[in-house]
Amino acid sequence: MKRTLQTMGYLIKSIVNPTLLALVVMIIMLAIIDFTNFSTGRFLLTRPAKPLTIPLEFFSGGLSLLIGAAIFLTNFRVSLANGISRKTFLLANLPVAMLISAFFAISTQVVTEVHALFWPINTYSVAMLIEHPQLNNAWPLIFQFTLYLFLILAGRLITLVYYRCNKWGKGFLSLVPLVVFYFLLNAINVKNGEFYLLMSNLLLLFLQPQNSIIFLVLGSLVMFALSWLLICRAPLKD
């Protein structure tokens, strides 16, 4: 337990600067969008401001994915070099990932509320809250927390898969996104195809507020389990 807490402390110190930098990038992105809309006349102080639709949580999700992928290998090598077991390292990573997810969820909500003082923002979670008034007001925070946790664990899993592969395996994995994009593009072009209908139904099922959090939690469990299987015998490589 002591080693786990020590590893958690080290991991938290290692993610403070990247996480704060990601928050600054998010604010800069919002400032650029505001400047663009103000300069084009979409936002005028002389008239009531209409809500601006920004997928802010998905932008934060992209940063979560990058953070999860970027800091994993360095911390893994340092931990193993200092006698930390793979089990201890992975168990310490989970609460740290949850801490980052909570920070991003709260920060996104705070930025949204502060921005709404002069220009309201309709994010995905806020739009769902308006469209489905039966949802609890805490739903946006819960949704964002589970989304960021899933993406952080996904980023770590992707990095771990690359780490375990040889150069041929890495080349093959690099082609996977292109293949997936190709099939999705074909599915969009053939709108009456079975694959297109299947993907559309799955997307609609996931986007239901009652289902999205369940899918994200289950996905996070799968990501963590796969990471455990891969890290058990992961060698220490340069």
Side-chain angles (χ1 to χ4, degrees):
M1 185 65 181
K2 181 179 179 180
R3 298 285 277 179
T4 303
L5 293 175
Q6 289 175 341
T7 306
M8 284 176 56
Y10 167 75
L11 292 174
I12 289 173
K13 290 179 181 178
S14 69
I15 57 94
V16 169
N17 289 336
T19 304
L20 293 178
L21 178 61
L23 178 61
V24 171
V25 170
M26 179 176 66
I27 294 174
I28 292 175
M29 183 273 295
L30 264 179
I32 292 173
I33 293 176
D34 286 345
F35 175 77
T36 302
N37 284 279
F38 182 79
S39 60
T40 55
R42 287 192 60 190
F43 173 58
L44 296 176
L45 296 175
T46 56
R47 68 185 184 195
K50 295 182 179 180
L52 179 67
T53 301
I54 299 178
L56 192 58
E57 52 268 274
F58 296 107
F59 177 80
S60 300
L63 294 174
S64 299
L65 182 67
L66 291 175
I67 288 176
I71 67 175
F72 176 82
L73 285 184
T74 301
N75 292 332
F76 179 64
R77 294 190 182 104
V78 171
S79 297
L80 290 189
N82 285 274
I84 303 298
S85 68
R86 291 162 177 78
K87 178 182 177 181
T88 299
F89 175 74
L90 193 61
L91 290 177
N93 261 272
L94 184 58
V96 174
M98 296 173 69
L99 183 63
I100 300 173
S101 304
F103 175 80
F104 268 122
I106 295 172
S107 298
T108 302
Q109 286 298 105
V110 169
V111 170
T112 301
E113 293 298 327
V114 171
H115 194 281
L117 295 176
F118 61 94
W119 196 352
I121 298 177
N122 278 342
T123 63
Y124 169 78
S125 54
V126 172
M128 288 295 102
L129 193 63
I130 297 173
E131 185 176 348
H132 302 272
Q134 74 275 12
L135 294 175
N136 190 283
N137 288 332
W139 187 85
L141 271 177
I142 298 173
F143 168 76
Q144 290 178 38
F145 172 79
T146 54
L147 174 65
Y148 303 149
L149 179 61
F150 170 79
L151 290 171
I152 290 172
L153 295 179
R156 290 177 179 174
L157 177 63
I158 293 170
T159 303
L160 187 55
V161 170
Y162 267 92
Y163 180 75
R164 291 295 305 271
C165 288
N166 57 26
K167 62 179 181 180
W168 295 106
K170 292 177 181 178
F172 174 77
L173 288 174
S174 299
L175 294 176
V176 170
L178 296 177
V179 174
V180 173
F181 178 76
Y182 172 78
F183 279 107
L184 290 177
L185 191 62
N186 282 344
I188 293 173
N189 292 332
V190 186
K191 291 188 176 182
N192 294 323
E194 293 183 2
F195 182 74
Y196 173 82
L197 295 176
L198 175 63
M199 295 302 297
S200 299
N201 291 333
L202 288 176
L203 182 61
L204 290 174
L205 184 64
F206 172 78
L207 291 178
Q208 292 297 317
Q210 296 82 355
N211 300 330
S212 58
I213 293 176
I214 296 175
F215 279 119
L216 289 170
V217 171
L218 292 176
S220 297
L221 292 175
V222 171
M223 295 294 169
F224 185 80
L226 292 176
S227 297
W228 170 252
L229 293 176
L230 288 171
I231 206 174
C232 281
R233 298 183 181 275
L236 184 59
K237 300 190 296 186
D238 293 331

